[in-house]
Structures are given as C-alpha cells and as structure tokens.
Amino acid sequence: MLAGVDMSFITYLLNGISLGSVYSIIALGYTMVYGIAKMLNFAHGDVIMVGGYIIFTIMSTLGLNPILGVLIAIILCTLLGMTIERIAYKPLRRAPSLAVLITAIGVSYLLQNLALLIFGAEAKSFTSVIPVKPLSLAGGRLSISGETLVTIPLCILIMTSLTIFIKKSKIGRGMVAVSEDKDAAVLMGINVNKTIAITFAIGSALAAVASALMFSTYTNLSSTSGAMPGIKAFVAAVFGGIGSIPGAMIGGILLGVIEILSRAYISTQLADAIVFLILIIVLLVKPTGILGKKIQEKV
Amino acid sequence: MLEVRDLQVYYGVIQAIKGVSFNVDEGEIIALIGANGAGKTTILQTITGLISPKQGEVLYNGVDLKKLPAHKIVSMGLAHVPEGRRVFSQLTVYENLLMGAYTRKDKDEIEETLQHVFKRFPRLEERRGQLAGTLSGGEQQMLAMGRALMSKPKIILMDEPSMGLSPILVEEVFDIIKSINKSGTTVLLVEQNAKKALSIANRAYVLETGNIVLEGAAESLMNNESVKKAYLGE
Ligand SMILES: Nc1ncnc2c1ncn2[C@@H]1O[C@H](COP(=O)(O)OP(=O)(O)O)[C@@H](O)[C@H]1O
Ligand SMILES: [Mg+2]
C-alpha cells in the first residue's frame, strides 16, 4: 500500500513534525508568560542556548552522563528564568510595555554575550543526548531518526501533562485566574508575583528540554543558536493564538512542517521567508491566530 | 470593625479621594452612595489593597491593612465583590467558587461552605459545570457574590451589585444582601441605586467628588431634602 507513496515526502513530514514539536515546546514558554504577565520575553530563546551549553559542558567537557546533563540543564535554566524575571522584569510590572520589551532584548544580548565570553566564538558540535536507534521501515526505504522517535511523543506528553496541570491543580487554576484578571485574582488571595515566577520556571524548564531535543538534531551550538528558534517559536505562538496552549502546539507543528517542506521542495534560502509570509497571511485573515481568543481590553 | 481615616487617593496628579473618613461596625449594612465618578470604587479598591492611598489609614479590627500585601487581605475575613462582577469567564461556576476559597485549606470545610452557597444560590448549583463567561448578567452577579462568600468573610464589600440588572433581579439581589447580613456578615454596600441601598442599610454616607458630604441613619437620609432631589429622583 505504501509502495505508491513517495518515501522522501514522509521523511520530510516526520522531520517537520519533529522540528515543529521542538518549536511547540519553546512556544509554550512564550505563550504562558504572555498569557499571565502580558509580556513578550524575548530572552526566552537564549535560555535554550544556555541549556545547550550546560548539556555540552557536562557531557562533552566533563564526560558525564548526557541524561544527567539534561537534568542539570533543566534545573539551572529554571533558576535562570526565575532570576531573569525577578531582577529584570519584576521591577517593571507597572512600566509601559515598550520598556519591558527593550529590557527583554537587553537580557537577550546579555546572555548571548556572556556565552560568547565564556565559550568563545567558535561553534561547538553538540553530540546527541538521545540513545535511541533509528527505525527502518518499508524495507529500508523509510528511516526515522531516534531524535524524531523521542521528540514527537515527548512533545505530546508535555502538552498533555501541562494541560492537566493547568486545568486540575490549584496553582494551575490560579494561573488561569491571573491571566484573565489580575485584580480579581488578588481579591481571591492569589499571590500574583509568585504565580508569574512559577510560570517563568515552567517555561524555562521546558526551554531546557527543547534545547536537548533541538541540539541533538541540529548540532551546531553557538552563542546565537537560540535566537532563530526563539523567534520561530514566538511566531508559532502567535500563529496558534498567543496565550493558548493547544495553539502553541498547532502553531509549532505547522511551522516546523511548512519550514521543512519549503526547504525540501521550494528553496533552502527562501524557507524562512515562506514561514514568515504564511504568518502574515494568517494574521491578515485571523488577527488573533488560529486558536486565539479575542483580546479583552479592560477599560 | 472597619475604620477608614482621612483617606486620600490619587490617580497620577488627580486626586480622586480627598480625605474620606467613615466606619463600619460589626453586623451593620453601611451604604456608600454617590453619582458615577464620585470615588466609590476607588475607596473599596483602596480598602482591599488594589490601590495604595497617598495618605490615611484603613484599620480592620485595629490592623492597618496598608501594611499587608493585597493578596493577604481576603484571608483576614474581608471579601470584595468587584464592580462589573469580574468572574473568571474561562473557569466553570464550580471552579470560580473554588477560587473564592483559594486561601482556605480544609477540604471538608470548603465543601460545607460550598453547600451553603448552593443553598443560597440554587441556580449556581444547576450550572456548576458551565463556563462563567456563558452566564447571564444576573447569574454572574450571583456567582460573584457566591465566590466572595466562599472565603467565609466577616465583612463583605459590594460594588454596585445591582448594576445592569432587570428590576426583578435588583429586588432579588437586595434580598440576598439582606439575608447575607442576617446570617452574621457585615456589609459595606456601594450603590448608585440610592433608593434601594438606603432601604436596606442601617447607616449611609453620601460621596460627592471624593468627599463625604452627608452621613447618618439611612432613614433620616431618605427623608433629607437634598438627598431626595439629587439621588432619589423626587
Ligand atoms: N484608573 C484610573 N485612572 C485615572 N482616573 C481614574 C481611574 N479610575 C477612576 N478614576 C477617576 O477617579 C474618580 C473616581 O472614580 P471611581 O472610584 O471609579 O468612581 P465611582 O465608583 O464612584 O463611579 C473619577 O473621576 C474617575 O474618572
Ligand atoms: Mg464605581
């Protein structure tokens, strides 16, 4: 039955879904922080880069177990995200959003330059942390990489657990309340600052997971390696409807698939331009993104 | 129980509250009436810590509420039903009610309060699984009041609970406020509907552009000529 299907197309599709899963996981960080703190944390992409260097140092420089590297990266990125929020964003809670945006860009450059200072300008070659063998199908004509075999189910697992956490746990419901109406949430006795800190912690922990998955496939690690995936994940979040968790998933996967298919069938150079062009078209048709709700401005 | 002393609140350079003092004793219904823009909402928001005053004190059983972070105030027994209801539209009726009990720990006690709230508002029980955003205005007002009751408050501040409701619902809301008060909760009621507010209050304060211009027993204010003219449409 599969005989008539072009195997290379299926390969591209799977690679696209896999890359898109990574974008989804990163996009969660943008979308949750936006939903709750109403700010765009442009330093989020650079946390991925930091995660990459942490894993690289533990695994390649110190020669320790890669899974240990991932766990330590998750812990350190969580702390990094919370520190950034505490030092850079919290004092700006009542500041105009432009001031917050400029600060976020500043934090982004700070992280990039610190990485440049510590690890140097020469790109490192990341070794995959995923110990899964590729799967060979259709008599060897279709091969699925171990990275893809891990990334896609892991992304589904993350999305499902996060959705359940937000729906069912007290902290999760507190997050929904804060994202909808901060003042009303305060009247319920919810500590808004703590809720925002938890959101940054979750987003940054997920960024570390994303960095392990992404650098295992795209192994070039430098101080700017987080920037482009960061921007694309942000686009994915807007694409799916910023503030929406299923939106981040749909947006991320669509973006990954469009990017890989454009690269394969249209042009390698134009792939990114096509991604952004489609974003513009989607936003023209539906300004709030695919699953976005109408933005409620309070008077 | 609640004492506000020389409260002054600014929005930027504009002074919205110009030295307001009043007090609420245990068991009372106190009405704060005044036209749109008089500063009623600002006063309630300052009491529950959403806005910081430039000057003055808010004492609750002797404790200065200014010294507490806003999210700690509800667990002291002070609940606030905000203007415009402000229910969480993406949460169900049941989840909204649970948010009201956010600071409480004991599950059995929360369940007990929930049953009380359902008894008081049978409509909320019928709609417990429905998203709050899909409720009618009257139902949302009931939910906002029920949510506030979930914290088991000693005093409840209500900001224009009758706003935008049909006359029958207005009647119902005021009956509920009376019965909440009867069961032992002190009420500070902010209203533009002065007639109804005065009819259930013990005492009242009249607010005009950030100043209290009149105060007294609700009955005597109802018979006051200037109140009649300005607020009762007589
Ligand atoms: N967020 C705000 N920023 C600036 N001015 C405000 C704000 N909220 C209220 N005001 C002003 O403060 C005054 C009192 O408003 P408010 O307390 O809402 O009155 P009320 O509840 O009695 O209608 C009004 O003049 C209003 O325009
Ligand atoms: Mg008002």
Side-chain angles (χ1 to χ4, degrees), chain B residues 23-184:
Chain B
N23 69 294
V24 182
D25 292 334
E26 196 156 354
E28 285 187 309
I29 298 183
I30 296 299
L32 193 59
I33 60 178
N36 197 11
K40 306 180 296 296
T41 299
T42 305
I43 291 177
L44 292 195
Q45 291 187 333
T46 312
I47 294 173
T48 41
L50 297 177
I51 305 176
S52 334
K54 179 136 188 177
Q55 241 193 58
E57 263 139 36
V58 179
L59 298 172
Y60 173 68
N61 293 330
V63 180
D64 189 354
L65 291 185
K66 259 196 323 188
K67 298 211 171 79
L68 286 176
H71 69 268
K72 296 264 191 216
I73 288 176
V74 64
S75 48
M76 307 218 14
L78 213 137
H80 181 165
V81 183
E83 182 176 296
R85 314 145 194 3
R86 311 274 285 263
V87 296
F88 300 110
S89 63
Q90 297 163 44
L91 296 179
T92 63
V93 167
Y94 173 67
E95 288 166 342
N96 266 277
L97 292 172
L98 283 188
M99 295 310 297
Y102 199 81
T103 55
R104 295 176 61 193
K105 299 262 145 49
D106 191 313
K107 285 219 161 69
D108 295 339
E109 285 179 20
I110 294 174
E111 181 60 32
E112 200 188 311
T113 317
L114 183 72
Q115 292 314 320
H116 278 297
V117 169
F118 280 154
K119 226 165 125 197
R120 202 183 284 286
F121 305 104
R123 285 297 281 274
L124 296 184
E125 183 160 28
E126 283 164 31
R127 300 182 179 249
R128 69 183 273 161
Q130 196 173 323
L131 289 183
T134 64
L135 298 177
S136 72
E139 289 163 347
Q140 287 192 3
Q141 187 59 53
M142 307 296 167
L143 179 54
M145 293 201 271
R147 186 179 66 174
L149 289 175
M150 286 301 292
S151 67
K152 268 195 143 176
K154 298 191 183 72
I155 177 168
I156 187 161
L157 318 183
M158 301 207 195
D159 198 342
E160 306 218 27
S162 74
M163 190 167 64
L165 299 184
S166 70
I168 298 171
L169 280 171
V170 170
E171 209 64 43
E172 200 180 328
V173 162
F174 280 97
D175 284 345
I176 289 165
I177 297 171
K178 256 199 303 203
S179 98
I180 288 174
N181 177 253
K182 273 226 180 70
S183 53

Side-chain angles (χ1 to χ4, degrees), chain A:
Chain A
M1 189 190 104
L2 279 172
V5 181
D6 181 0
M7 284 302 154
S8 62
F9 175 74
I10 294 181
T11 307
Y12 292 137
L13 197 62
L14 284 173
N15 288 346
I17 295 174
S18 179
L19 176 63
S21 297
V22 173
Y23 289 155
S24 305
I25 297 170
I26 308 171
L28 284 176
Y30 280 107
T31 234
M32 288 174 69
V33 163
Y34 180 83
I36 285 162
K38 299 287 176 287
M39 65 158 292
L40 294 172
N41 174 21
F42 270 110
H44 187 57
D46 302 291
V47 175
I48 299 161
M49 173 274 296
V50 172
Y53 275 116
I54 294 170
I55 299 171
F56 178 85
T57 306
I58 291 166
M59 188 171 60
S60 303
T61 315
L62 303 177
L64 298 173
N65 184 317
I67 301 303
L68 179 72
V70 176
L71 290 178
I72 292 178
I74 290 175
I75 295 168
L76 293 183
C77 286
T78 304
L79 293 177
L80 176 66
M82 290 173 81
T83 310
I84 292 172
E85 194 279 322
R86 182 71 189 72
I87 294 176
Y89 303 147
K90 194 177 168 212
L92 299 177
R93 205 77 92 212
R94 279 156 200 269
S97 51
L98 194 59
V100 183
L101 187 66
I102 290 167
T103 306
I105 293 170
V107 173
S108 166
Y109 277 115
L110 178 72
L111 292 178
Q112 289 183 18
N113 284 302
L114 282 177
L116 195 62
L117 201 69
I118 298 170
F119 297 99
E122 199 187 331
K124 309 270 191 248
S125 180
F126 195 92
T127 318
S128 175
V129 298
I130 291 164
V132 178
K133 293 234 156 28
L135 185 66
S136 189
L137 287 177
R141 287 185 303 133
L142 178 64
S143 165
I144 307 170
S145 72
E147 283 75 25
T148 301
L149 288 175
V150 170
T151 303
I152 298 174
L154 191 59
C155 173
I156 294 170
L157 180 73
I158 288 173
M159 292 292 163
T160 320
S161 3
L162 197 61
T163 307
I164 294 173
F165 170 75
I166 288 180
K167 191 79 193 140
K168 296 289 169 208
S169 74
K170 193 169 169 175
I171 295 175
R173 276 198 296 263
M175 289 165 86
V176 177
V178 172
S179 78
E180 198 177 319
D181 189 332
K182 271 201 193 65
D183 281 352
V186 169
L187 293 180
M188 302 300 111
I190 297 170
N191 184 338
V192 172
N193 282 331
K194 197 171 118 193
T195 307
I196 293 178
I198 292 171
T199 309
F200 270 85
I202 294 174
S204 309
L206 292 176
V209 174
S211 82
L213 297 171
M214 187 180 76
F215 290 118
S216 291
T217 306
Y218 303 86
T219 56
N220 207 9
L221 174 62
S222 77
S223 65
T224 52
S225 295
M228 202 54 184
I231 288 178
K232 285 191 190 145
F234 167 64
V235 168
V238 176
F239 209 40
I242 192 136
S244 154
I245 288 175
M249 170 130 189
I250 292 175
I253 288 179
L254 276 178
L255 203 77
V257 170
I258 293 168
E259 179 181 333
I260 297 286
L261 292 183
S262 319
R263 196 170 283 163
Y265 293 109
I266 304 174
S267 149
T268 313
Q269 283 87 17
L270 284 181
D272 287 345
I274 292 168
V275 165
F276 289 106
L277 183 71
I278 292 176
L279 171 78
I280 292 168
I281 294 169
V282 167
L283 291 187
L284 283 176
V285 178
K286 195 159 185 298
T288 51
I290 298 167
L291 294 183
K293 299 200 179 69
K294 224 187 257 154
I295 294 159
Q296 300 160 343
E297 285 292 340
K298 302 238 162 49
V299 197

